[in-house]
Amino acid sequence: SSLIGLGLKFCPIEKFTTVKPTEILDRFRKDLYTKTYYAGRPQNREDVFIPKMHVQSDWEPKEWDIPTTIVDRYNEFSKAITRLFKKKRRQENNLLPYQKLALKSLALRTDILIVNCDKNLGTAAIDTTIYIRRAFSDHLDTPTYKELMELN
């Protein structure tokens, strides 16, 4: 109950930082450089864009095609982020050991949902089947709602 009482907006903090930002920074650089490269250029797209048929490109503009201010700002940003994640920093853990175990076991369970109650009454645990039954019973028994036929 003490874990649920923390609310759904509570974020547990890991004991050590373990994330390496290199992949994320590479993706960010590619997106930043590509958007900068195409900024202000007219789009000459005659074909219809179909998202499901789109294949991600590995192409990235060269640094000499990007304004030096953007490159310099990215390099400074990248250094600052990398510096933050260089060492494994010991964080003050904000969960007690039994709360961590409870959170792990709750995350693995599919038969229980943790939900926000109406009228700011806090957080509650409810059986998944009861939740689904109550959600549908509210809408199926009233004359306000009408079931629509599926279109093939």
mmCIF file of all heavy atoms in Angstrom, residues 81-97:
data_model
loop_
_atom_site.group_PDB
_atom_site.id
_atom_site.type_symbol
_atom_site.label_atom_id
_atom_site.label_comp_id
_atom_site.label_asym_id
_atom_site.label_seq_id
_atom_site.Cartn_x
_atom_site.Cartn_y
_atom_site.Cartn_z
ATOM 1 N N ILE A 81 26.543 16.439 -22.407
ATOM 2 C CA ILE A 81 25.755 15.240 -22.089
ATOM 3 C C ILE A 81 26.672 14.064 -21.786
ATOM 4 O O ILE A 81 26.463 13.331 -20.821
ATOM 5 C CB ILE A 81 24.791 14.893 -23.257
ATOM 6 C CG1 ILE A 81 23.747 15.975 -23.436
ATOM 7 C CG2 ILE A 81 24.149 13.533 -23.064
ATOM 8 C CD1 ILE A 81 22.786 16.116 -22.278
ATOM 9 N N THR A 82 27.716 13.884 -22.578
ATOM 10 C CA THR A 82 28.646 12.775 -22.361
ATOM 11 C C THR A 82 29.343 12.912 -21.011
ATOM 12 O O THR A 82 29.552 11.926 -20.311
ATOM 13 C CB THR A 82 29.681 12.722 -23.506
ATOM 14 O OG1 THR A 82 28.970 12.659 -24.752
ATOM 15 C CG2 THR A 82 30.573 11.512 -23.389
ATOM 16 N N ARG A 83 29.682 14.141 -20.650
ATOM 17 C CA ARG A 83 30.321 14.386 -19.357
ATOM 18 C C ARG A 83 29.411 13.964 -18.196
ATOM 19 O O ARG A 83 29.871 13.432 -17.195
ATOM 20 C CB ARG A 83 30.673 15.867 -19.244
ATOM 21 C CG ARG A 83 31.950 16.141 -18.496
ATOM 22 C CD ARG A 83 32.324 17.618 -18.498
ATOM 23 N NE ARG A 83 32.520 18.167 -19.824
ATOM 24 C CZ ARG A 83 31.886 19.226 -20.319
ATOM 25 N NH1 ARG A 83 31.014 19.890 -19.590
ATOM 26 N NH2 ARG A 83 32.120 19.654 -21.543
ATOM 27 N N LEU A 84 28.127 14.204 -18.344
ATOM 28 C CA LEU A 84 27.181 13.840 -17.289
ATOM 29 C C LEU A 84 27.089 12.329 -17.080
ATOM 30 O O LEU A 84 26.865 11.866 -15.974
ATOM 31 C CB LEU A 84 25.787 14.381 -17.611
ATOM 32 C CG LEU A 84 25.589 15.879 -17.476
ATOM 33 C CD1 LEU A 84 24.197 16.257 -17.967
ATOM 34 C CD2 LEU A 84 25.768 16.302 -16.035
ATOM 35 N N PHE A 85 27.269 11.577 -18.164
ATOM 36 C CA PHE A 85 27.107 10.125 -18.089
ATOM 37 C C PHE A 85 28.436 9.377 -18.076
ATOM 38 O O PHE A 85 28.442 8.162 -18.144
ATOM 39 C CB PHE A 85 26.255 9.631 -19.260
ATOM 40 C CG PHE A 85 24.811 10.004 -19.123
ATOM 41 C CD1 PHE A 85 24.325 11.152 -19.709
ATOM 42 C CD2 PHE A 85 23.961 9.218 -18.387
ATOM 43 C CE1 PHE A 85 22.993 11.499 -19.577
ATOM 44 C CE2 PHE A 85 22.629 9.558 -18.249
ATOM 45 C CZ PHE A 85 22.147 10.702 -18.850
ATOM 46 N N LYS A 86 29.556 10.092 -17.989
ATOM 47 C CA LYS A 86 30.852 9.442 -18.059
ATOM 48 C C LYS A 86 31.079 8.503 -16.887
ATOM 49 O O LYS A 86 31.429 7.353 -17.051
ATOM 50 C CB LYS A 86 31.954 10.489 -18.128
ATOM 51 C CG LYS A 86 33.233 9.953 -18.710
ATOM 52 C CD LYS A 86 34.138 11.067 -19.100
ATOM 53 C CE LYS A 86 34.980 10.590 -20.256
ATOM 54 N NZ LYS A 86 35.645 11.636 -20.935
ATOM 55 N N LYS A 87 30.885 9.002 -15.688
ATOM 56 C CA LYS A 87 31.087 8.191 -14.494
ATOM 57 C C LYS A 87 29.764 7.586 -14.075
ATOM 58 O O LYS A 87 28.711 8.149 -14.300
ATOM 59 C CB LYS A 87 31.586 9.060 -13.341
ATOM 60 C CG LYS A 87 32.931 9.659 -13.542
ATOM 61 C CD LYS A 87 33.280 10.458 -12.318
ATOM 62 C CE LYS A 87 34.481 11.335 -12.572
ATOM 63 N NZ LYS A 87 34.702 12.263 -11.471
ATOM 64 N N LYS A 88 29.890 6.428 -13.427
ATOM 65 C CA LYS A 88 28.702 5.886 -12.796
ATOM 66 C C LYS A 88 28.517 6.647 -11.501
ATOM 67 O O LYS A 88 29.319 6.550 -10.596
ATOM 68 C CB LYS A 88 28.863 4.401 -12.515
ATOM 69 C CG LYS A 88 28.738 3.525 -13.719
ATOM 70 C CD LYS A 88 28.670 2.092 -13.314
ATOM 71 C CE LYS A 88 28.381 1.245 -14.521
ATOM 72 N NZ LYS A 88 28.145 -0.135 -14.179
ATOM 73 N N ARG A 89 27.504 7.432 -11.454
ATOM 74 C CA ARG A 89 27.250 8.237 -10.263
ATOM 75 C C ARG A 89 26.302 7.493 -9.339
ATOM 76 O O ARG A 89 25.271 6.997 -9.768
ATOM 77 C CB ARG A 89 26.637 9.576 -10.650
ATOM 78 C CG ARG A 89 27.543 10.408 -11.502
ATOM 79 C CD ARG A 89 26.816 11.679 -11.912
ATOM 80 N NE ARG A 89 27.551 12.381 -12.924
ATOM 81 C CZ ARG A 89 28.382 13.384 -12.681
ATOM 82 N NH1 ARG A 89 28.573 13.782 -11.457
ATOM 83 N NH2 ARG A 89 29.007 13.976 -13.660
ATOM 84 N N ARG A 90 26.664 7.446 -8.078
ATOM 85 C CA ARG A 90 25.788 6.810 -7.106
ATOM 86 C C ARG A 90 24.647 7.775 -6.775
ATOM 87 O O ARG A 90 24.875 8.896 -6.352
ATOM 88 C CB ARG A 90 26.573 6.466 -5.839
ATOM 89 C CG ARG A 90 25.768 5.698 -4.836
ATOM 90 C CD ARG A 90 26.667 5.240 -3.698
ATOM 91 N NE ARG A 90 25.898 4.594 -2.676
ATOM 92 C CZ ARG A 90 25.492 3.337 -2.709
ATOM 93 N NH1 ARG A 90 25.787 2.601 -3.742
ATOM 94 N NH2 ARG A 90 24.804 2.824 -1.724
ATOM 95 N N GLN A 91 23.460 7.325 -7.010
ATOM 96 C CA GLN A 91 22.274 8.124 -6.731
ATOM 97 C C GLN A 91 21.677 7.684 -5.394
ATOM 98 O O GLN A 91 21.826 6.546 -4.992
ATOM 99 C CB GLN A 91 21.214 7.931 -7.820
ATOM 100 C CG GLN A 91 21.663 8.328 -9.195
ATOM 101 C CD GLN A 91 21.727 9.832 -9.354
ATOM 102 O OE1 GLN A 91 21.120 10.583 -8.628
ATOM 103 N NE2 GLN A 91 22.510 10.276 -10.318
ATOM 104 N N GLU A 92 20.993 8.557 -4.772
ATOM 105 C CA GLU A 92 20.257 8.212 -3.565
ATOM 106 C C GLU A 92 18.969 7.540 -4.013
ATOM 107 O O GLU A 92 18.141 8.150 -4.680
ATOM 108 C CB GLU A 92 19.970 9.479 -2.761
ATOM 109 C CG GLU A 92 19.682 9.267 -1.310
ATOM 110 C CD GLU A 92 20.746 8.490 -0.551
ATOM 111 O OE1 GLU A 92 21.945 8.780 -0.744
ATOM 112 O OE2 GLU A 92 20.368 7.601 0.211
ATOM 113 N N ASN A 93 18.826 6.261 -3.713
ATOM 114 C CA ASN A 93 17.649 5.519 -4.144
ATOM 115 C C ASN A 93 16.432 6.000 -3.373
ATOM 116 O O ASN A 93 16.477 6.152 -2.162
ATOM 117 C CB ASN A 93 17.876 4.024 -3.916
ATOM 118 C CG ASN A 93 16.989 3.184 -4.787
ATOM 119 O OD1 ASN A 93 15.859 3.541 -5.034
ATOM 120 N ND2 ASN A 93 17.513 2.066 -5.250
ATOM 121 N N ASN A 94 15.329 6.236 -4.063
ATOM 122 C CA ASN A 94 14.142 6.774 -3.412
ATOM 123 C C ASN A 94 13.076 5.717 -3.119
ATOM 124 O O ASN A 94 11.954 6.044 -2.808
ATOM 125 C CB ASN A 94 13.552 7.935 -4.224
ATOM 126 C CG ASN A 94 13.156 7.537 -5.616
ATOM 127 O OD1 ASN A 94 13.444 6.436 -6.052
ATOM 128 N ND2 ASN A 94 12.504 8.425 -6.327
ATOM 129 N N LEU A 95 13.441 4.431 -3.233
ATOM 130 C CA LEU A 95 12.546 3.341 -2.858
ATOM 131 C C LEU A 95 13.237 2.451 -1.830
ATOM 132 O O LEU A 95 14.443 2.209 -1.920
ATOM 133 C CB LEU A 95 12.188 2.485 -4.068
ATOM 134 C CG LEU A 95 11.169 3.018 -5.048
ATOM 135 C CD1 LEU A 95 10.983 2.032 -6.190
ATOM 136 C CD2 LEU A 95 9.847 3.287 -4.380
ATOM 137 N N LEU A 96 12.482 1.975 -0.890
ATOM 138 C CA LEU A 96 13.003 1.014 0.071
ATOM 139 C C LEU A 96 13.108 -0.348 -0.607
ATOM 140 O O LEU A 96 12.411 -0.602 -1.601
ATOM 141 C CB LEU A 96 12.077 0.942 1.284
ATOM 142 C CG LEU A 96 11.950 2.254 2.073
ATOM 143 C CD1 LEU A 96 10.845 2.144 3.116
ATOM 144 C CD2 LEU A 96 13.266 2.604 2.732
ATOM 145 N N PRO A 97 13.964 -1.252 -0.097
ATOM 146 C CA PRO A 97 14.139 -2.557 -0.760
ATOM 147 C C PRO A 97 12.830 -3.325 -0.966
ATOM 148 O O PRO A 97 12.601 -3.894 -2.029
ATOM 149 C CB PRO A 97 15.082 -3.306 0.180
ATOM 150 C CG PRO A 97 15.852 -2.240 0.866
ATOM 151 C CD PRO A 97 14.909 -1.082 1.008
#
